[in-house]
Amino acid sequence: MDYLDRLEAEAIHILREVAGQFERPALLFSGGKDSIALTRLAEKAFRPGKFPFPLVHIDTGHNFAEIIAYRDKLVASLGEKLVVRKVEDTIRARGLREPGGKYPSRNPLQTYTLLDVIEEFEFDACIGGARRDEEKARAKERIFSVRDDFGQWDPKRQRPELWNIYNGRIRKGENVRVFPISNWTELDVWNYIQREKIALPEIYFSHERQCVVLPSGQLLGLSEHLNLDDTDEIVNRRVRFRTVGDSTCTAAVESDAASVDDIIQDLLLAKVSERGATRLDDNLSETGMEDRKRNGYF
């Protein structure tokens, strides 16, 4: 058994623990490589049966078109249930204010939609593709991470996790966020995608794209959702995306990597972390991710 077999076995064990311990679980599906890897793990855990949970996608309305097309194609091929809830609808229902500025990210507003869909379907466990190596707030999470009645997370009130014993006991109204690939790294995910020959959205591979040059030097794909002015520099660059978030807050990286093998070679030479290279929303403050997670964000 190699190290990928061990990671896979651990993740499958966690998914089966969720199926055994919870009545109404869900798998949060962003369309990114991590949640795509999770669906492959779910196939290995539960086929030839159906998944014991639906896939849930929080659609901000600022997604990359390639991701939505990939999501629908994958779900159709899996034959599984997909629940989509839109941030646009949450904004109208709750009277929320649209974000402003040149790069108006709806990322923080996803929290409201996520908490609403958890309440609507009474989900008691939400499986996600977060990994500890991504960001320091995610490194603080347990694999079974409890949220209170308001969906909030308190990193000081986490339960101990010994070996492979996971405690899913909760009170009514609480829910658990579950991270089966928490112990994986970005490189592990790509090695697994390579081994399993998993198809991915084209956005992950090198392609020509019109981009806006940010003051930081990062490249943001040109989008109808950006509020640009005459001072903004628009360039054509050969890029790919390391992460998949909103088009308003996810920067591309210049790359000629056209295959999974190429991407793995890129990663072996990378000197900047995955989210540090690409995510504008994480750089709003030193505790940006942790603040969002405390309020219920994934």
Side-chain angles (χ1 to χ4, degrees):
M1 178 179 284
D2 68 10
Y3 87 101
L4 280 179
D5 292 329
R6 293 178 186 277
L7 289 173
E8 179 187 71
E10 179 188 56
I12 289 172
H13 169 68
I14 293 166
L15 288 169
R16 289 174 175 166
E17 282 291 301
V18 172
Q21 294 195 38
F22 297 94
E23 295 181 359
R24 294 176 181 272
L27 191 154
L28 303 180
F29 184 81
S30 70
K33 62 186 182 304
D34 299 321
S35 57
I36 292 169
L38 273 183
T39 62
R40 173 58 57 89
L41 291 162
E43 286 186 275
K44 294 200 173 191
F46 303 114
R47 290 294 190 238
K50 301 282 285 184
F51 293 178
F53 38 69
L55 277 62
V56 174
H57 182 227
I58 306 300
D59 184 350
T60 65
H62 291 175
N63 301 107
F64 291 99
E66 297 96 323
I67 298 301
I68 300 300
Y70 178 91
R71 177 200 70 188
D72 293 342
K73 184 177 178 181
L74 176 67
V75 170
S77 69
L78 290 171
E80 298 294 341
K81 181 180 179 182
L82 172 68
V83 174
V84 178
R85 289 295 180 269
K86 298 183 177 181
V87 172
E88 185 80 37
D89 294 336
T90 307
I91 290 172
R92 290 200 191 97
R94 288 175 171 260
L96 301 176
R97 178 181 295 180
E98 282 273 10
K102 283 190 172 185
Y103 322 115
S105 172
R106 286 178 170 175
N107 216 10
L109 302 184
Q110 290 185 81
T111 299
Y112 297 100
T113 311
L114 174 60
L115 296 181
D116 285 350
V117 75
I118 289 172
E119 183 176 358
E120 177 185 353
F121 289 89
E122 298 182 341
F123 291 133
D124 51 6
C126 294
I127 305 162
R131 310 184 321 267
R132 288 195 175 111
D133 77 322
E134 284 183 88
E135 204 276 340
K136 57 192 175 187
R138 288 187 165 167
K140 294 181 181 179
E141 293 264 25
R142 299 290 193 264
I143 288 177
F144 275 30
S145 189
V146 177
R147 300 298 194 268
D148 67 15
D149 300 34
F150 302 100
Q152 296 177 329
W153 174 61
D154 184 350
K156 295 180 179 177
R157 295 184 60 233
Q158 298 195 94
R159 299 166 174 174
E161 283 184 339
L162 304 177
W163 304 288
N164 62 349
I165 301 172
Y166 304 107
N167 181 2
R169 182 173 298 178
I170 54 175
R171 294 175 301 181
K172 187 171 179 57
E174 295 179 332
N175 64 84
V176 170
R177 307 289 171 87
V178 182
F179 308 109
I181 62 170
S182 188
N183 290 330
W184 298 39
T185 66
E186 182 185 14
L187 186 58
D188 295 334
V189 172
W190 280 106
N191 282 331
Y192 190 69
I193 287 167
Q194 180 190 51
R195 189 184 84 170
E196 297 292 313
K197 298 181 173 53
I198 300 173
L200 292 176
E202 290 299 317
I203 200 169
Y204 277 114
F205 303 102
S206 179
H207 58 282
E208 294 283 343
R209 203 175 195 97
Q210 276 195 304
C211 299
V212 183
V213 182
L214 303 181
S216 62
Q218 291 170 298
L219 298 170
L220 204 57
L222 190 61
S223 156
E224 61 181 337
H225 305 299
L226 304 180
N227 298 319
L228 304 181
D229 56 42
D230 294 340
T231 64
D232 287 295
E233 182 184 3
I234 311 296
V235 296
N236 279 310
R237 295 288 170 81
R238 192 154 192 81
V239 299
R240 70 177 185 86
F241 289 83
R242 282 179 74 176
T243 64
V244 168
D246 273 0
S247 60
T248 50
C249 66
T250 307
V253 294
E254 291 192 78
S255 172
D256 291 321
S259 68
V260 173
D261 290 349
D262 294 342
I263 290 170
I264 290 172
Q265 287 305 308
D266 265 9
L267 286 182
L268 292 173
L269 300 173
K271 295 181 178 178
V272 181
S273 70
E274 179 182 3
R275 295 186 73 94
T278 63
R279 298 304 293 258
L280 277 60
D281 46 339
D282 288 353
N283 297 324
L284 294 176
S285 75
E286 183 68 18
T287 59
M289 173 65 84
E290 183 160 332
D291 292 342
R292 293 199 302 277
K293 287 175 75 68
R294 282 176 180 271
N295 291 327
Y297 182 78
F298 177 68

